[in-house]
Amino acid sequence: MRVSTSERQTGEDTTTTLYPVTKTCAVWGTASEYIEIGSTSAFGAPDLDSRPPEMARSTIFAWVQRCPACGYCAADISQAPGHAGVTVRSIRYRAQLVDSTMPELANSFLRQAIVDERAGDYASAAWAIVHAAWVCNDEEKPEAAQECRGKAAEMVMRAIESGQEITEQRGAETAILVDLLRRAGRFAKARQVIASRRPGIIDDVILKILAFQELLIARGDVARYTLDEAVGAEA
Ligand SMILES: [Zn+2]
């Protein structure tokens, strides 16, 4: 079975292809069916926290898999670090299972983050929490989104302190961190990060983004903006 969620347009591939796959949970050994992404596309500029535009934007539901038997959540349910069995049974993990303040999909990403954090992979944990924030925005839960962004910012800082790479592009981790802090309403911390990290940044686009963020912070703006809006504003 192949599911196309959009039609082809002139000369451009705007199709997302999804397909079901049976996978075995690496924690409990339960086989279940999951939806995976065969291909997708992205048109337009990403958000300042790197969230892709459509169609990729709407494939987020398939970025995390949750075992219906044990609740283990991972990008690939058939893979698990050695401690995952213990983590899945932990009080913190089980509490995240029933956190009614968060959308169900956000809880899956937050559970994925707990396993990543326990494995010492703070960069992956940070991204999983960022994904939870995006789900909260989609579900129109701004307070939950703000809470996730605050947690994601803390995890990004922990990753940076541990020498872990948040993105391949040098300086982009600062741009993403500042956007997380601003949209979490933590303006003072966002200003502080810009002041302390800007001297080490040479990428012109990143510098333009940080200048744009300063304008938003000055007016207390916590809204979503795209890369084009940021770079265009300074051009
Ligand atoms: Zn399982």
Side-chain angles (χ1 to χ4, degrees), residues 25 27-30 67 69-72:
C25 169
V27 174
W28 270 29
T30 311
C67 172
C70 71
Y72 174 56

Side-chain angles (χ1 to χ4, degrees), residues 174-226:
T174 299
I176 288 165
L177 175 57
V178 168
D179 195 65
L180 290 169
L181 288 167
R182 176 184 64 81
R183 293 188 66 186
R186 293 181 57 188
F187 301 127
K189 184 66 186 174
R191 272 197 205 97
Q192 189 192 326
V193 168
I194 292 172
S196 66
R197 296 184 65 87
R198 181 156 49 194
I201 295 170
I202 50 167
D203 187 315
D204 199 41
V205 172
I206 304 286
L207 290 170
K208 282 182 176 176
I209 291 170
L210 295 182
F212 182 69
Q213 291 283 3
E214 282 183 316
L215 296 174
L216 300 177
I217 292 163
R219 65 180 196 221
D221 191 335
V222 296
R224 172 180 83 93
Y225 289 91
T226 65

Side-chain angles (χ1 to χ4, degrees), residues 41-56:
S41 55
F43 287 96
D47 295 350
L48 288 178
D49 62 6
S50 84
R51 185 170 190 188
E54 297 295 2
M55 302 289 297

Side-chain angles (χ1 to χ4, degrees), residues 24-28 34 64-81 83-85 87-88 93 97 108 111-112 115-116:
T24 303
C25 169
V27 174
W28 270 29
Y34 300 92
V64 62
Q65 299 175 342
R66 185 202 304 180
C67 172
C70 71
Y72 174 56
C73 297
D76 180 351
I77 204 84
S78 67
Q79 304 292 321
H83 64 80
T87 304
V88 164
Y93 199 88
L97 251 130
S108 292
R111 269 175 271 168
Q112 181 188 350
V115 174
D116 287 336

